[in-house]
Amino acid sequence: MAVQESERSDVFERVGTHYWAVRRASWAIRRLWLDTQLFDVANVPDHGPVILAANHLSFIDSPLMMFGLDRKVSVLGKAEYLHRTSTRWLFPAAGMIPVDRSGKGLVESLRCAENLLANGEIVGIFPEGTRSRSGELYKGRSGVAHLALKSGAPIVPVGIIGSDGVQSPDSIRPRFRGRVELRFGSPIDMGPWVDRPRNAETKAEITEQVMASIASLSGQTRRDAYASARSDTMMHPSYG
């Protein structure tokens, strides 16, 4: 069941409203479930707007980014999670910004992210657009560059390692106490592009630098194709 048009604005208003409560309530479960190691966290500015751009291997990548830092983090995630009654309220309240991968409501999703950045918060995004089922790093979509150019926020690349070993892309059964690493790279400032036209060429250049940085952190082999939500042979709509 799709999220109705009349419900969308209410969903975006709920993003992050119960972030700290969900974080506290889930602390014990997360500690028991995962052995999470963070590296070079100092690369994330301790104040002001920041965009975290990470590779995507598993469902758990979102909560890893959302709750890994001392700062509040909201993450763009697929709107299909809102189709379930059990998650329709919880996920946005915890900090998920829903993105309909058919393209419907994309403007609202990006506007929500832009508003959070304008308020000096952190927004996480997976430039590949969906989980990698091959373990390779697929081409990034331009949403990360759009947000960075619009907000002026630096992009901090993140390499996530091991999350697919804890829960593979299509599995509903996680493995407990698996080790996961989050490696934070040097911030990519928008200074070199501030006077450039905000066109497809500029966004492609920024996106390429982001993906190259992610690859160096995650150690993944890069693939010159866009990832698919279901298989390597099908293209899914871009939200970038």
Side-chain angles (χ1 to χ4, degrees), residues 133-163:
R133 285 160 172 79
S134 68
E136 299 166 295
L137 184 68
Y138 287 80
K139 290 178 66 173
R141 300 180 184 275
S142 62
V144 61
H146 170 88
L147 285 176
L149 289 170
K150 195 77 180 288
S151 66
I155 303 170
V156 174
V158 184
I160 300 176
I161 301 171
S163 60

Side-chain angles (χ1 to χ4, degrees), residues 80-234:
E80 288 95 318
Y81 291 132
L82 305 188
H83 296 178
R84 303 169 189 164
T85 303
S86 59
T87 57
R88 189 173 303 150
W89 179 88
L90 177 62
F91 280 19
M96 190 194 87
I97 305 168
V99 178
D100 189 327
R101 292 183 294 182
S102 71
K104 295 178 181 178
L106 174 61
V107 172
E108 292 173 286
S109 300
L110 292 176
R111 185 179 296 124
C112 179
E114 291 163 12
N115 289 340
L116 292 170
L117 292 167
N119 288 331
E121 298 188 26
I122 299 180
V123 170
I125 186 171
F126 301 106
E128 292 168 281
T130 191
R131 289 164 283 185
S132 170
R133 285 160 172 79
S134 68
E136 299 166 295
L137 184 68
Y138 287 80
K139 290 178 66 173
R141 300 180 184 275
S142 62
V144 61
H146 170 88
L147 285 176
L149 289 170
K150 195 77 180 288
S151 66
I155 303 170
V156 174
V158 184
I160 300 176
I161 301 171
S163 60
D164 52 341
V166 175
Q167 187 170 12
S168 62
D170 297 306
S171 173
I172 60 174
R173 294 185 178 181
R175 181 170 65 88
F176 285 86
R177 299 309 298 163
R179 180 185 171 94
V180 180
E181 297 180 5
L182 272 69
R183 299 182 175 271
F184 297 88
S186 299
I188 299 171
D189 189 78
M190 289 300 101
W193 296 281
V194 70
D195 294 323
R196 293 270 299 275
R198 296 184 180 183
N199 55 21
E201 181 180 353
T202 299
K203 292 179 181 179
E205 189 175 307
I206 295 169
T207 304
E208 169 56 28
Q209 183 167 339
V210 171
M211 300 311 292
S213 296
I214 292 174
S216 69
L217 294 164
S218 69
Q220 291 169 282
T221 299
R222 297 188 64 183
R223 182 164 178 178
D224 189 22
Y226 290 108
S228 165
R230 292 299 174 192
S231 72
D232 288 343
T233 59
M234 295 174 60

